[in-house]
Amino acid sequence: MLELELLPRAIAALPWRFGHRVARLLARFPALYREPVSAATHVAQRYGWCDDARHFAREQRALRLVDHADLYLSLHQGEHVRAAHVERVGAWPAGDAPVLAITVHWGVGMFGIASLAQTGRRIACLSTRLDEAHVRHDPVLLRYGRTRLAEVERVAGAKLIYAGGGARAFLRALERGDSLLALIDVPPDAVGGAHPVRLLDRRAALPSGLVKLAERTRIPVVFFAVELDAATGNRIVRISESFVVTDREAAMQRLADELDHCIRRSPPAWTFWPFADAFFAERAEAGAAR
């Protein structure tokens, strides 16, 4: 409750420049987000992307605090935050025709969805289905998760699409004129259908289902990520040039390169370090050999 509700709500209630400084101050306390941050730090060290464990952990804590605070900022003062504290580098595809927006578990994402929605598009976001078993029957996690997903739907302007339903739901959304949004850095064994890529100078695999859909429908694909500026607290929505999939292998590597660039830019900003072994083939093969 302290990590997901009380502290993020308190930070969100402050003028943001001050709230961000408070988040940076609180991030010095190792007790916050101890389990996920410790796991992320350990794995990043093992893969050679964490030279200073204290700095890495502190930056992860600060990012998590702001990411959770962004839920309450979006709920209560979203327009003000978008106007004053969200920057954009690059441009969304012109018009309001559907696109497939791809992002990653790096940085803070809530206001990236809002940035795309400002183009006039309705966005059907792909999500895992949330239930009590998914959150280990924790009522705080369940309440927080439901609140966040409801806010994503409100900001995006369209209902969520739940993973595991096949391509039909995506095709129906496109027929309605909705854009699609999904994360590419999901452990392949969780969704099925992976494609080999190079990531962080290693052999890896990323889910390929939506790229196959984009190839089939010729919907433009646009990658974006939302960076948290540690100095100002601003969110920087970085939008890459859109493309149409004509070569599936090249498209998958292009998206892997985008994730690679994000992680190299700020390793602590990738919150999915604890799941890294699921992406990297060499590690999985080593584990199988043992």
Side-chain angles (χ1 to χ4, degrees):
M1 185 176 291
L2 185 73
E3 294 174 342
L4 297 181
E5 295 183 347
L6 298 181
L7 287 179
R9 282 182 184 274
I11 291 167
L14 298 169
W16 180 244
R17 296 297 186 203
F18 184 54
H20 176 244
R21 287 197 292 270
V22 171
R24 299 287 306 176
L25 178 65
L26 290 171
R28 296 180 182 181
F29 292 92
L32 278 177
Y33 309 110
R34 182 185 299 276
E35 184 177 338
V37 169
S38 176
T41 305
H42 174 73
V43 175
Q45 283 180 311
R46 178 154 51 80
Y47 278 95
W49 289 94
C50 173
D51 295 328
D52 184 338
R54 290 181 63 185
H55 171 79
F56 184 99
R58 185 170 64 248
E59 292 303 309
Q60 272 245 333
R61 288 191 290 270
L63 184 94
R64 289 174 182 273
L65 272 169
V66 173
D67 186 53
H68 296 315
D70 274 358
L71 168 60
Y72 305 108
L73 286 165
S74 180
L75 279 165
H76 302 299
Q77 43 182 317
E79 289 186 13
H80 168 72
V81 173
R82 284 194 297 274
H85 303 295
V86 178
E87 306 171 28
R88 194 177 71 189
V89 176
W92 297 110
D96 58 1
V99 298
L100 169 58
I102 297 291
T103 189
V104 288
H105 293 92
W106 180 90
V108 290
M110 182 65 76
F111 286 101
I113 301 172
S115 178
L116 177 56
Q118 281 183 300
T119 65
R121 293 175 168 92
R122 297 187 309 274
I123 312 156
C125 300
L126 178 62
S127 173
T128 55
R129 193 173 294 277
L130 183 67
D131 55 30
E132 291 187 359
H134 185 77
V135 296
R136 304 187 297 274
H137 301 279
D138 186 312
V140 176
L141 280 172
L142 185 63
R143 181 171 64 245
Y144 175 85
R146 286 174 173 170
T147 302
R148 191 170 186 107
L149 291 181
E151 180 62 3
V152 166
E153 283 192 337
R154 186 189 72 82
V155 171
K159 292 291 186 182
L160 296 169
I161 295 176
Y162 291 105
R168 187 174 301 174
F170 296 105
L171 294 172
R172 284 200 298 264
L174 293 177
E175 289 170 0
R176 293 193 299 267
D178 293 351
S179 290
L180 306 175
L181 187 150
L183 295 110
I184 193 71
D185 58 339
V186 177
D189 58 359
V191 294
H195 195 92
V197 294
R198 292 291 296 178
L199 179 64
L200 300 180
D201 301 320
R202 295 170 180 266
R203 290 187 299 133
L206 292 175
S208 58
L210 285 174
V211 170
K212 293 177 184 178
L213 180 72
E215 183 180 36
R216 171 183 172 186
T217 61
R218 290 295 189 265
I219 182 175
V221 178
V222 57
F223 178 89
F224 77 97
V226 187
E227 180 180 359
L228 176 64
D229 188 323
T232 66
N234 283 356
R235 298 94 176 140
I236 306 172
V237 184
R238 298 189 179 275
I239 308 163
S240 297
E241 185 177 353
S242 64
F243 63 97
V244 174
V245 178
T246 56
D247 181 325
R248 190 182 306 169
E249 183 172 347
M252 287 299 304
Q253 188 56 54
R254 182 169 179 167
L255 293 171
D257 289 345
E258 296 283 7
L259 173 58
D260 186 288
H261 176 73
C262 286
I263 297 174
R264 290 176 190 272
R265 185 178 183 88
S266 177
W270 195 38
T271 56
F272 259 36
W273 278 112
F275 307 102
D277 287 353
F279 296 100
F280 292 110
E282 291 151 343
R283 182 72 189 178
E285 288 168 3
R290 287 195 297 271

